[in-house]
Amino acid sequence: MDSDNCHDRVLLPYKPMERIVDITVVYACCVLSMLLALCCPAATPAVLALYGGLTGLASVACFLVSVICVLGCEWSGCGWRAVLPAAYCVIAVAVPAGVFFVPAALYELMRSVHEPLPWKVAPAAALFPAVALAARGGVAPALLLVVAVAALAALLSMRTCALTAQRDLTRRTRDDLVERELCVRDALAAVRAAPGGPGVTDEGAAAGAGAIAGASAAAAAEPDARPREFECLTEREYEIVRLVAEGLDNHEIAAEAFISEGTVRNRISSVLSKTGYKNRTQLAVAWWRSRSL
């Protein structure tokens, strides 16, 4: 029971704080761009009339709606998380004041670039408000500020997605090691509990326990240890093998590792060439067989 509880704790979902920090920075930049565009001495009555002013009902409503859309992304499944930010971009087409908070929507939309179509092209929705605003003659410094903040939001989102993907892979590696150690402990406990087990004595069980403990410690000290047939692979190639063994296709592997599908195909080809296996099924079988040894 204790082992199961320990295992459950290891596999708890992980929510990085980077996204909270990122979206806070993005919103701060959005508000700053609004201040610069609407409160600077160069702001003309035409610009103020177009955007509705800093404290206008439209500006406040757009801010609140954008926050709701961003929060909704955290509660939505993969792919569908892009619906709310894309809907906000449509709203910003009709309400010019909403363009200042489009970068926050773009930050969430960038998380969909590794999803299948049509979600892959969801970030393009952020272009609609800018095009509509330019058609109304609202270019000037306001739109340039929004574009700059949107570029910052896109870069932050891509960076955080890459960091999160790498961190998730590292956590899965650790979980695999812990799971193997728990399985070995359970097997040893079952052997020792069996009355008169064939060839099992207290001295043998004690020696076996010491050997298993030593192997577990070695595995913990050397997380990069791997089966002999996979020793020729790089760390990233071995991660791809593990994801293949988990049953993921190329698109899912690309999303997990935050790389392109072309890179996934190239790495799988490299792995097959180095290991001598003919296809990904043989790779998966070899990986699971190595875990059972």
Side-chain angles (χ1 to χ4, degrees):
M1 182 63 67
D2 292 340
S3 296
D4 292 339
N5 291 340
C6 177
H7 190 203
D8 290 341
R9 286 195 298 269
V10 170
L11 296 179
L12 282 176
Y14 174 71
K15 292 290 186 182
M17 286 296 295
E18 283 88 348
R19 291 202 175 279
I20 299 176
V21 175
D22 285 353
I23 202 62
T24 302
V25 171
V26 171
Y27 267 112
C29 292
C30 290
V31 173
L32 180 61
S33 66
M34 179 181 284
L35 288 172
L36 292 175
L38 303 182
C39 296
C40 67
T44 64
V47 171
L48 294 175
L50 178 63
Y51 295 107
L54 181 62
T55 58
L57 179 61
S59 299
V60 175
C62 288
F63 171 76
L64 295 177
V65 172
S66 69
V67 170
I68 292 173
C69 292
V70 169
L71 293 178
C73 291
E74 299 300 327
W75 302 330
S76 302
C78 293
W80 289 101
R81 70 163 62 99
V83 171
L84 289 176
Y88 177 81
C89 292
V90 174
I91 294 174
V93 172
V95 184
V99 74
F100 291 105
F101 302 104
V102 167
L106 178 61
Y107 178 87
E108 296 295 342
L109 289 172
M110 290 300 297
R111 299 172 63 182
S112 302
V113 294
H114 288 286
E115 299 291 338
L117 292 172
W119 310 116
K120 185 188 293 288
V121 297
L127 296 175
F128 299 156
V131 173
L133 188 62
R136 292 189 181 100
V139 183
L143 186 56
L144 297 179
L145 287 172
V146 172
V147 170
V149 176
L152 172 64
L155 291 175
L156 285 175
S157 183
M158 294 173 62
R159 175 197 65 102
T160 301
C161 285
L163 290 177
T164 302
Q166 183 61 42
R167 185 175 300 169
D168 287 343
L169 288 172
T170 303
R171 288 174 64 83
R172 279 197 296 271
T173 301
R174 188 193 68 178
D175 291 344
D176 286 341
L177 292 173
V178 173
E179 184 177 6
R180 292 187 67 178
E181 182 179 358
L182 292 175
C183 291
V184 170
R185 289 180 180 178
D186 291 342
L188 177 61
V191 170
R192 298 188 64 181
V200 179
T201 63
D202 289 342
E203 293 79 3
I212 291 174
S216 299
E222 299 183 50
D224 291 334
R226 62 187 67 171
R228 178 172 299 178
E229 60 264 35
F230 296 131
E231 289 179 350
C232 58
L233 305 181
T234 65
E235 180 181 352
R236 295 294 284 173
E237 288 174 340
Y238 187 61
E239 290 170 355
I240 297 297
V241 173
R242 183 169 61 255
L243 294 174
V244 168
E246 291 178 2
L248 277 64
D249 59 24
N250 286 356
H251 173 73
E252 293 169 331
I253 293 174
E256 288 288 338
F258 206 75
I259 55 179
S260 67
E261 292 187 42
T263 302
V264 173
R265 289 192 293 269
N266 291 339
R267 287 182 178 170
I268 291 178
S269 298
S270 176
V271 168
L272 293 175
S273 175
K274 290 180 179 180
T275 59
Y277 293 115
K278 296 181 179 180
N279 52 54
R280 60 196 300 147
T281 301
Q282 292 183 351
L283 275 181
V285 171
W287 191 85
W288 284 110
R289 184 186 296 120
S290 68
R291 284 172 54 88
S292 62
L293 296 179

